[in-house]
Amino acid sequence: MSGMTDTIMARASGAGQAAVAVLRLSGARAGEMVATLANGLPSPRRASLRRLVDAQGDLLDQALVLWFPGPHSYTGEDAAELHLHGGAAVIAAVEVALLALGCRPAEPGEFTRRAFLHGRMDLTQAEAIADLIAAETDAQRRQALRQADGALARLYGGWTARLTGILAQQEAAIEFEMDDLPSDLSSQARTAATTLRGEIEWHLTDGGRGEKLRDGLSIAIIGAPNAGKSSLLNALVEQEAAIVSPQPGTTRDIVECRLVLRGVPVVIADTAGLRATEDAVEQEGVRRATRRAGAADLLIAAFACDRAPDADALALLARSDGAIVVATKCDLAPAPMTIQGHVTLPTSVRTGQGLAALKQALSEVAQRHAGLGDAPALTRTRHRAALSEAVTHLTEAESATLPEVAAEGFRAALTALGRLTGRVEVEQVLDAVFRDFCIGK
């Protein structure tokens, strides 16, 4: 990352030709540069129509100019926006003029990074901004907005504050044991830590709903060759995504398609038919199908009604945690009521029977896996790893025989929590010691 004291610029609107292009500036010299181009600064946070001219006095554009003096801006620095006409030549001319004044192009994410460094948001909120920009569904939008509004920051900040107090208690019990303090401070700290650890562990057992909503629920279609898997995929996504052929073993690699079910993104994968084969390429396809089935959030197990259930597909079904069993080609033969204890869903791609019911069942599963609950959800593996580390350190601290070892465990857990928001303040522990116990007299 280049110097954070530079004044930077970047296009805030999308690439390509448009009626309006927004050029954003941030940094200590943003006001000076805008004033040079626009013959003075407009009133803060009020749009003003200005003629923009370069150093030679040539007219660049007639644009709306907005001025946001720090710290009350997105980045916390002096910032401005130039709402230009969207032609490529206009944008390029204004950028050249700004470069001549000492502005430089922003690096990816630099505006949001500066907002974090100036305390305008924490890391969870910065991540939410990226999620909000990338949101494709209404549910993703709502989850990102909730996180951007500070739902996770407030939860993690509350835990951090409590753990800071716990560490302060433990440190006071060690450093000031001869002073007039409660004799059971260390015991109180460990009891509070146990309660906190339980809350974090409960938060970790959310089934990954936040990640699934953000990245997409993984669904794999498995079954024997010619069980109708590719036809089922095409019917679900309503396009010819996979090749359909009466020749067994046509699908040899994984064919993925994305769709949205009730606002939840899902990735449906058609996999190779499960069977023993001498063909090396098909063998690899079967191995990939087996791996994909093991990693999927949900299986669609396809069994053709005109043949007996395949043993390999039955074995995968027996190992799965969740599956919808589909009896395909029910226009050719009666569908069995159950397969391996699972109630079947009769379908026929040819007649359309059961397809609406299958989409409804998939939608309900998607809602359960990735629905927005009352508590804010984990949205990234980084969060899960940091919280898991905090739980480990808290567990070690609770079982420590020496108070100094317990304090070190609490301190390590606090550091892990601090990585979630990007703020680890050792001074907070000292403040809590002197504030809560009135030590320092």
Side-chain angles (χ1 to χ4, degrees), residues 380-403:
R380 278 176 163 75
T381 303
R382 182 183 77 83
H383 302 177
R384 196 171 294 278
L387 289 173
S388 298
E389 183 181 339
V391 166
T392 299
H393 290 308
L394 285 173
T395 303
E396 292 170 349
E398 292 167 42
S399 60
T401 56
L402 295 175

Side-chain angles (χ1 to χ4, degrees), residues 357-436:
L358 176 57
K359 284 189 176 181
Q360 174 68 20
L362 292 174
S363 297
E364 291 173 357
V365 171
Q367 287 275 289
R368 288 198 303 272
H369 274 272
L372 292 173
D374 294 332
L378 291 163
T379 58
R380 278 176 163 75
T381 303
R382 182 183 77 83
H383 302 177
R384 196 171 294 278
L387 289 173
S388 298
E389 183 181 339
V391 166
T392 299
H393 290 308
L394 285 173
T395 303
E396 292 170 349
E398 292 167 42
S399 60
T401 56
L402 295 175
E404 292 81 4
V405 175
E408 186 57 36
F410 294 145
R411 189 175 296 107
L414 186 60
T415 300
L417 286 182
R419 284 202 298 272
L420 289 166
T421 58
R423 298 191 176 98
V424 184
E425 300 290 348
V426 176
E427 289 298 323
Q428 291 178 353
V429 179
L430 301 178
D431 291 344
V433 169
F434 288 101
R435 180 186 66 245
D436 296 342

Side-chain angles (χ1 to χ4, degrees), residues 24 68 72-77 79 111-112 114-115 120-121 129:
R24 173 186 283 177
F68 305 98
H72 304 296
S73 68
Y74 177 77
T75 60
E77 304 174 318
F111 281 86
T112 302
R114 291 188 177 201
R120 299 292 289 173
M121 62 181 70
I129 297 299

Side-chain angles (χ1 to χ4, degrees), residues 138-399:
D138 187 62
Q140 288 176 323
R141 175 189 63 82
R142 286 185 285 124
Q143 175 170 277
L145 278 174
R146 190 178 185 184
Q147 185 171 328
D149 192 44
L152 276 179
R154 287 188 292 273
L155 178 64
Y156 298 156
W159 286 344
T160 299
R162 287 165 58 188
L163 186 51
T164 299
I166 290 169
L167 177 56
Q169 282 185 309
Q170 186 66 68
E171 292 281 13
I174 297 170
E175 300 295 336
F176 306 101
E177 60 180 343
M178 302 304 295
D179 288 4
D180 187 18
L181 295 175
S183 59
D184 60 344
L185 276 181
S186 183
S187 176
Q188 289 178 19
R190 296 188 192 214
T191 300
T194 300
T195 301
L196 177 59
R197 176 174 56 81
E199 292 178 21
I200 298 174
E201 287 175 334
W202 181 87
H203 186 61
L204 285 167
T205 58
D206 67 346
R209 60 186 175 91
E211 294 106 317
K212 289 171 185 175
L213 180 54
R214 178 175 174 269
D215 300 326
L217 190 72
S218 174
I219 300 175
I221 305 175
I222 63 160
N226 280 4
K229 302 184 300 301
S230 298
S231 297
L232 206 56
L233 174 71
N234 292 343
L236 288 171
V237 301
E238 299 179 2
Q239 60 176 301
E240 296 298 316
I243 297 173
V244 176
S245 168
Q247 178 179 339
T250 301
T251 302
R252 297 189 173 198
D253 209 342
I254 295 173
V255 179
E256 289 185 344
C257 289
R258 294 182 68 89
L259 71 158
V260 177
L261 299 173
R262 290 190 186 175
V264 179
V266 300
V267 180
I268 300 184
D270 179 25
T271 63
L274 303 171
R275 67 171 177 176
T277 176
E278 297 300 320
D279 187 304
V281 176
E282 192 175 354
Q283 286 176 354
E284 178 59 26
V286 172
R287 281 193 290 270
R288 294 187 181 190
T290 303
R291 286 198 301 269
R292 187 55 173 264
D297 299 309
L298 175 71
L299 293 185
I300 299 176
F303 296 93
C305 291
D306 60 346
R307 68 185 71 176
D310 176 75
D312 292 328
L314 288 174
L316 271 185
L317 177 60
R319 296 199 298 269
S320 71
D321 294 328
I324 294 176
V325 176
V326 178
T328 61
K329 305 182 183 181
C330 67
D331 56 310
L332 300 181
M337 296 291 292
T338 62
I339 294 178
Q340 205 173 65
H342 295 266
V343 177
T344 62
L345 179 59
T347 64
S348 169
V349 172
R350 182 173 299 172
T351 67
Q353 179 183 344
L355 295 179
L358 176 57
K359 284 189 176 181
Q360 174 68 20
L362 292 174
S363 297
E364 291 173 357
V365 171
Q367 287 275 289
R368 288 198 303 272
H369 274 272
L372 292 173
D374 294 332
L378 291 163
T379 58
R380 278 176 163 75
T381 303
R382 182 183 77 83
H383 302 177
R384 196 171 294 278
L387 289 173
S388 298
E389 183 181 339
V391 166
T392 299
H393 290 308
L394 285 173
T395 303
E396 292 170 349
E398 292 167 42
S399 60

